[in-house]
Structure formats: structure tokens, C-alpha cells
């Protein structure tokens, strides 16, 4: 199957046929036409509007949103290919200005809708069809919406304000290169290439990789920290001071449609179970013949594991693991590669991370990874193709509702990773290799659960401090070290340079309080996978139904239908119990 595919770059022509000329200008023209058509219906909005005209206006809202996302998606994907490309940057800036203007010109609909009395809104919701949850979500923000003129000012200023600061952060960090000495030769590496060595069997190479990383980030720590403080301050000033939302983190919870108390239960469960991972790190130190792990060593493989997974083989492993669960999911994943919507080739200037972007529901999502032939890259590929599967499963919904909320957005991605690891474990009889695979999964679960939860705990303190008494960048670095000390206790030896680790986490800058979604997602998936092991084939349709909702229904309602109570601490503990059983199995394989 996968032999037809190789590492390469994606093709964006399915989204917009050409980067310049009439093809591109036609998309801008269509957006302008859709905006004018919507604006012409402004006077029709009244409490007495009937269902037919209301639905016509909703269709225009959908149309403008589709075209806007088309342009925004293209701008983000092009810029991600090469963040040093001046044409891509200029196009992104043009799109940001255009969409800020479009948001301002369509604000009248949102403000009218949010301001309706409950009875009128209820009547119109009955006529909204598949857009009901979109409209309900807008109503959630009604108490925090400003006047139309104030909202316009915020939209305009954000483009050259906080959004501009985030763009600068991305440009600065994505152009970083790192000097690493390997076998007597100094190599210049991208960040994704460098990070391959943090999982190297050699402790010296692991340490050298981290030192090379922080040699660059620590030198720019003051600059990157100042950008972060501006982001944190802007988040508070707009959302808490102006809009009146109760706290900085409550802003994200509101957008995710997850109650504050559920997030607190999740974070407390993670904090409580940090000791579980401390136990694992102590066991891992013993298996590696060390008195204690250094922070450089936490991703060290337990043996001289196989080093190379050529792209064709890695892709085939992902497809095979999906096919064993559901042939439909495997076919969807393969579509991403078949349509050249995958960019997997590492190169300078390219976004150093990994992501999936489902731009609009009728286009196969685009996936970016930096594939360096490691086992970790196979897992990343499975993860991001899982995101693509989720988007394609929800393709029958509106452009306004096919994206799932952040906490559920990690469901298919994490589930795909678990299917991959289970395939590898099923086919592997060597106890040493099984131990390696289990430890690798626990390493990755640490990244997705405890590490992400502690990022959010750090953010919560930073937002409080910066917007309270104020703080220097050095104080934020000290705060981060305190966060690491709680996270690892005495199980890991911490080096001073890790105090700058927070400056290299893009989500802290681009999407405050995003990271708890990773913990939510993996713990949810561990529970779902446990149900699959119990129910077998009967579970598959239920799982596919969860994915098919996309963002067309409240996440709590979707989970309740799947018989999951996220307010019950034992639910979250159940996910940690799966990890505990894996640690027990590793200990028994010693």
C-alpha cells in the first residue's frame, strides 16, 4: 500500500489553484461578493423575522465563512512551508487584513443574534438545522460581547497587535538552527532534526542535543519572554477586563464549551498522578543503569532500538494498524497521501512541529510532519493522520460545525497512536522489545498528559502574576523551574538551562491554555480503548459516531452519549490506571 508514497511536500492547489494572478484574485472577489450579499440583508434582522429569511441569512454566513477559511487556510499552510518566504508572509498579512475587515463587516449578525431575547432565539433555533450548535455557541458569549464599534476596534488592532507579536515569535523561532557535534563533525540542524537526538541511545548525544537547543533559546530568552508577556497581558486586558470573563483560563474553557469544574478535576487528577510518572522515571533509571535520570534522559530508549523506519514502512504501519480496527479509517488516512496533502520532508524554514489542518469540510485535510525515520515520527504520523480522519468523518457538517472542540479534537489522533502501539506489541514476542515499546508509549503519554497539564498550571500562575504585580522574564523562568521541580520531585535531576523551556512551546503564545486538551484527549482515549478491548467489534460503530459529530454538538453531550462522565474523578483515574498497568508490565519484564 504505502510503497506508492515517499517523503515530500504537499500540494495546495486543491484549496486554491494558484498563488497569484486571476485564480487567487477570484477568491478574494468571491469573498467580497458574499460579504456584500450578507450586508444587504442586515435590515431584515429583527425579532419578527420568519424561519425562511433567517435560514437564507444563515446560508450567507456559511458562504462567507467558507471563503474566509479557504483564504486563511491557504495563508497558514503556505507560510508553514517556509516561514522565511517573504511572498508567503506578505500574503498572510494581506489575508489577515482582509479577514479582519470581513469580521467587522459581519459583526452585525453575531451581535444581533447574541442580543435577542430567549423566546425569539428559541424559535429561530428550531429553524437552524445543522447550525443549531453554532448558534448556541454564539449565545454562550452573549454576556461578554462588547458593542459593535468596540468589537471592530479589537479586530482591527489585533492584526497588527497581538497577532503580529505571535507572527514575530513564529518567524524568530522557526529560523533558528542548532550546532551539534556528531562523531567529530559539527552539523547545522533544524529543530526537528535536532530533537531526534533527545531519544538517542547515547546519553552524551542526548545532553549535547539539549544543550544545543537551549544555547539558542536561552540567548533569546529575554526577547521571547517579552513577547510572551505581551500576549499574556493582551489576553487578560481584552477577555477579563473588557469582556468580564471570570479568569484567563475560563476564556479557553468557554471557547471549548467545557465547564470550569471539569477542567479543575482534570488538572487535579494530573497533579495527583504526577507521582505515577515519577515512579516510572525511577524504574527507567534502574533499567538504564543510572542512579537517577537527568532531564536529558527522560526520553532515552530502554535498549539500542531499531533506528530507522523509512517513510514507506512507517506509513504502511499506520495504515495497517487502522485497517485492523476499521478499514474505513485506513482508507481515509491514505487519502491524505494519495491527494498530496502531506508535507513530510524536513527542511530549513519549514514549521518545525506537526499539525493537521482541516480547512473546509469538503477538502481532504492537509498534514504537516517532519519525518526523520524515527519510531517517534511513525507515532507522529499516526497522530496527525488521526486528526485528518476526525475531520473527514465530520465532513457532512457545515464549515461552521465540522471542527470538534479542542478537548475532543485529540480523540482520533490519540486513538490512532494507541492502535499503532498495540499492533507493534501484538507482533512482537521479544520481551526486551516489548519493554521498549511499552516504555516508549509511557514516554509519549507523559508528554501528552503530565507535561501538558503542567504547562497549563504554569500558564495559570504566569497570567496571574503578569497581570497582577508584574514579573520579569527571569522571574517567569524561575517560576517554570518551580513547576518542573513539583512535576518531577526527586525522580529526575534538573539542569538550569531548562528554565527556558517554556519559551519554545508555541501553544503558550498562539493559543493560551490550549494544552489541557492533550491531557483530556489521551485520558479519554485510554478509557475508550479499554472499552474497545472489552466490547470488541461492537465498540467500533460507537467510536465512529463520536468522531462523526465533529463540532455539531456540545462535547459534554457527545461524551454522555458515549456513557462517559467527565465530572467523575474515577473516570480520569481510569486512564492513569491503564498507564500504571503498563508500568507494572515493564517491571515484570526486567
Amino acid at each position: 500500500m504505502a510503497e506508492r508514497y515517499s517523503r515530500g511536500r504537499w500540494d495546495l492547489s486543491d484549496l486554491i489553484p494558484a498563488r497569484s494572478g486571476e485564480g487567487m484574485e477570484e477568491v478574494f472577489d468571491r469573498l467580497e461578493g458574499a460579504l456584500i450579499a450578507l450586508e444587504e440583508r442586515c435590515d431584515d434582522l429583527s425579532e419578527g423575522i420568519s424561519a425562511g429569511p433567517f435560514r437564507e441569512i444563515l446560508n450567507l454566513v456559511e458562504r462567507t465563512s467558507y471563503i474566509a477559511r479557504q483564504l486563511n487556510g491557504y495563508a497558514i499552510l503556505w507560510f508553514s512551508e517556509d516561514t522565511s518566504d517573504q511572498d508567503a508572509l506578505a500574503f498572510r498579512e494581506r489575508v489577515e487584513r482582509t479577514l479582519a475587515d470581513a469580521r467587522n463587516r459581519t459583526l452585525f449578525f453575531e451581535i444581533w443574534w447574541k442580543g435577542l431575547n430567549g423566546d425569539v432565539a428559541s424559535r429561530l433555533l428550531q429553524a437552524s438545522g445543522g447550525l443549531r450548535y453554532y448558534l448556541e455557541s454564539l449565545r454562550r458569549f452573549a454576556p461578554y460581547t462588547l458593542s459593535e464599534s468596540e468589537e471592530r476596534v479589537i479586530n482591527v488592532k489585533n492584526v497588527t497587535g497581538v497577532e503580529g507579536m505571535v507572527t514575530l515569535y513564529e518567524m524568530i523561532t522557526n529560523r533558528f538552527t542548532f550546532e551539534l557535534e556528531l562523531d567529530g563533525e559539527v552539523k547545522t540542524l533544524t529543530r526537528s532534526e535536532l530533537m531526534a537526538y533527545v531519544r538517542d541511545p547515547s546519553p552524551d548525544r542526548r545532553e549535547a542535543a539539549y544543550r544545543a537547543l537551549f544555547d539558542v533559546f536561552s540567548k533569546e530568552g529575554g526577547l521571547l519572554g517579552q513577547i510572551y508577556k505581551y500576549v499574556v497581558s493582551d489576553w487578560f486586558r481584552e477577555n477579563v477586563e473588557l469582556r468580564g470573563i471570570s479568569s484567563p483560563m475560563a476564556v479557553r474553557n468557554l471557547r471549548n464549551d467545557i465547564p470550569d469544574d471539569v477542567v479543575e478535576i482534570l488538572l487535579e487528577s494530573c497533579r495527583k498522578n504526577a507521582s505515577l510518572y515519577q515512579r516510572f522515571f525511577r524504574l527507567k533509571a534502574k533499567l538504564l543503569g543510572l542512579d537517577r535520570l537527568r532531564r536529558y534522559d527522560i526520553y532515552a530508549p530502554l535498549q539500542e532500538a531499531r533506528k530507522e523506519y523509512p517513510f514507506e514502512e512507517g506509513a504502511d504501519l499506520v495504515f495497517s494498524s487502522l485497517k485492523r480496527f476499521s478499514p474505513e479509517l485506513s482508507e481515509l488516512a491514505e487519502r491524505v497521501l494519495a491527494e498530496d496533502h502531506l508535507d513530510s520532508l524536513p527542511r530549513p524554514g519549514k514549521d518545525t512541529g506537526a499539525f493537521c489542518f482541516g480547512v473546509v469540510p469538503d477538502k481532504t485535510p492537509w498534514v504537516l510532519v517532519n519525518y526523520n525515520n524515527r519510531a517517534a515520527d511513525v507515532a507522529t504520523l499516526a497522530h496527525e493522520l488521526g486528526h485528518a480522519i476526525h475531520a473527514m468523518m465530520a465532513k457532512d457538517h457545515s464549515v461552521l460545525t465540522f471542527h470538534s472542540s479542542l478537548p475532543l479534537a485529540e480523540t482520533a489522533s490519540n486513538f490512532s497512536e494507541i492502535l499503532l502501539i498495540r499492533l507493534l506489541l501484538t507482533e512482537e514476542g521479544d520481551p526486551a522489545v516489548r519493554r521498549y515499546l511499552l516504555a516508549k508509549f509511557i514516554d509519549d503519554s507523559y508528554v501528552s498528559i503530565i507535561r501538558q497539564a503542567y504547562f497549563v498550571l504554569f500558564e495559570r500562575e504566569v497570567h496571574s502574576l503578569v497581570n497582577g504585580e508584574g514579573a520579569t522574564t527571569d522571574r517567569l523562568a524561575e517560576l517554570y523551574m518551580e513547576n518542573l521541580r513539583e512535576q518531577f520531585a526527586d525522580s529526575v535531576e534538573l539542569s538550569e538551562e531548562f528554565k527556558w523551556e517554556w519559551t519554545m512551546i508555541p501553544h503558550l503564545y498562539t493559543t493560551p491554555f490550549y494544552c489541557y486538551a492533550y491531557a483530556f484527549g489521551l485520558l479519554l482515549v485510554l478509557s475508550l480503548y479499554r472499552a474497545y478491548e472489552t466490547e470488541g467489534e461492537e465498540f467500533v460503530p460507537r467510536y465512529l459516531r463520536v468522531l462523526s459529530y465533529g463540532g455539531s454538538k456540545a462535547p459534554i453531550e457527545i461524551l454522555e452519549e458515549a456513557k462517559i462522565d467527565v465530572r467523575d474523578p474515577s473516570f480520569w483515574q481510569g486512564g492513569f490506571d491503564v498507564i500504571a498497568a503498563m508500568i507494572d508490565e515493564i517491571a515484570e519484564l526486567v
Side-chain angles (χ1 to χ4, degrees), residues 57-73:
I57 292 172
L58 279 181
N59 289 340
L60 289 171
V61 171
E62 280 188 285
R63 182 181 168 195
T64 57
S65 297
Y66 183 99
I67 303 169
R69 294 190 188 198
Q70 202 178 358
L71 287 169
N72 185 56

Side-chain angles (χ1 to χ4, degrees), residues 497-559:
E497 64 262 42
F498 281 90
K499 69 182 182 182
W500 296 111
E501 186 175 30
W502 55 279
T503 64
M504 52 178 276
I505 309 302
H507 282 321
L508 272 61
Y509 291 77
T510 62
T511 322
F513 301 101
Y514 178 103
C515 292
Y516 75 73
Y518 289 110
F520 193 114
L522 183 51
L523 290 170
L524 167 63
V525 162
L526 288 169
S527 175
L528 290 173
Y529 190 82
R530 195 164 53 169
Y532 171 52
E533 289 185 311
T534 301
E535 300 173 26
E537 292 299 316
E538 293 181 3
F539 170 84
V540 176
R542 184 154 62 96
Y543 173 74
L544 298 184
R545 183 165 176 76
V546 168
L547 300 188
S548 70
Y549 276 118
S552 65
K553 196 172 182 180
I556 296 295
E557 292 180 28
I558 295 172
L559 294 175

Side-chain angles (χ1 to χ4, degrees), residues 323-365:
K323 189 173 184 179
R324 287 161 64 102
F325 177 76
S326 166
E328 178 183 1
L329 299 190
S330 180
E331 291 168 7
L332 291 175
E334 188 177 0
R335 186 188 300 173
V336 176
L337 281 68
E339 296 182 10
D340 291 328
H341 284 204
L342 174 72
D343 193 317
S344 56
L345 187 66
R347 57 187 179 274
K350 178 184 172 183
D351 188 306
T352 58
F355 66 79
C356 169
F357 197 164
V359 182
V360 287
D362 61 336
K363 303 293 183 184
T364 298

Side-chain angles (χ1 to χ4, degrees), residues 223-418:
L223 172 62
L224 300 179
Q226 191 61 42
I227 292 174
Y228 183 52
K229 288 199 294 179
Y230 287 139
V231 171
V232 168
S233 181
D234 180 85
W235 185 264
F236 181 84
R237 301 296 174 223
E238 176 185 333
N239 294 297
V240 178
E241 287 192 345
L242 293 179
R243 299 190 183 279
I245 299 174
S246 60
S247 72
M249 193 162 74
V251 181
R252 177 63 55 206
N253 300 343
L254 188 67
R255 294 182 184 182
N256 289 344
D257 198 8
I258 296 292
D260 292 348
D261 65 310
V262 170
V263 178
E264 289 303 320
I265 292 168
L266 166 65
L267 292 175
E268 188 54 38
S269 294
C270 292
R271 210 165 199 164
K272 173 184 173 184
N273 282 279
S275 60
L276 177 66
Y277 285 87
Q278 292 161 15
R279 174 197 166 202
F280 171 68
F281 292 135
R282 293 186 187 99
L283 174 61
K284 192 171 186 179
K286 177 182 176 182
L287 294 171
L288 291 170
L290 302 172
D291 292 332
R292 184 165 61 146
L293 290 185
R294 305 169 301 170
R295 176 58 183 80
Y296 308 128
D297 302 321
I298 65 171
Y299 305 125
L302 286 187
Q303 65 176 38
E304 189 78 22
R306 177 181 173 186
K307 294 181 179 179
E308 296 291 322
Y309 283 85
F311 179 80
E312 295 82 0
E313 183 178 352
D316 194 50
L317 281 169
V318 174
F319 297 150
S320 297
S321 64
L322 290 166
K323 189 173 184 179
R324 287 161 64 102
F325 177 76
S326 166
E328 178 183 1
L329 299 190
S330 180
E331 291 168 7
L332 291 175
E334 188 177 0
R335 186 188 300 173
V336 176
L337 281 68
E339 296 182 10
D340 291 328
H341 284 204
L342 174 72
D343 193 317
S344 56
L345 187 66
R347 57 187 179 274
K350 178 184 172 183
D351 188 306
T352 58
F355 66 79
C356 169
F357 197 164
V359 182
V360 287
D362 61 336
K363 303 293 183 184
T364 298
W366 281 263
V367 170
L368 181 144
V369 297
N370 287 276
Y371 196 93
N372 289 294
N373 297 334
R374 307 167 300 167
D377 297 318
V378 184
T380 299
L381 183 62
H383 185 98
E384 299 305 335
L385 288 176
H387 280 303
I389 288 167
H390 201 162
M392 287 185 277
M393 286 294 295
K395 67 180 177 59
D396 292 333
H397 295 297
S398 164
V399 68
L400 298 170
T401 59
F402 86 107
H403 277 138
S404 62
S405 70
L406 282 180
L408 296 190
E410 297 300 326
T411 304
S413 55
N414 284 322
F415 201 87
S416 297
E417 279 199 72
I418 293 177

Side-chain angles (χ1 to χ4, degrees), residues 127-186:
S128 62
L131 292 181
R132 183 185 183 98
Y133 183 62
Y134 163 73
L135 293 171
E136 289 174 343
S137 296
L138 290 180
R139 295 281 291 182
R140 280 204 316 277
F141 290 88
Y144 314 110
T145 301
L146 307 177
S147 69
E148 184 170 351
S149 60
E150 289 172 310
E151 295 287 356
R152 286 174 180 269
V153 170
I154 288 173
N155 285 338
V156 170
K157 294 296 289 181
N158 277 352
V159 173
T160 52
V162 67
E163 291 173 11
M165 296 300 296
V166 170
T167 298
L168 284 176
Y169 170 80
E170 292 173 335
M171 292 180 68
I172 292 167
T173 56
N174 284 327
R175 75 181 181 188
F176 285 166
T177 57
F178 307 89
E179 304 294 322
L180 182 66
E181 184 174 337
L182 298 169
D183 303 321
E185 178 185 355
V186 176

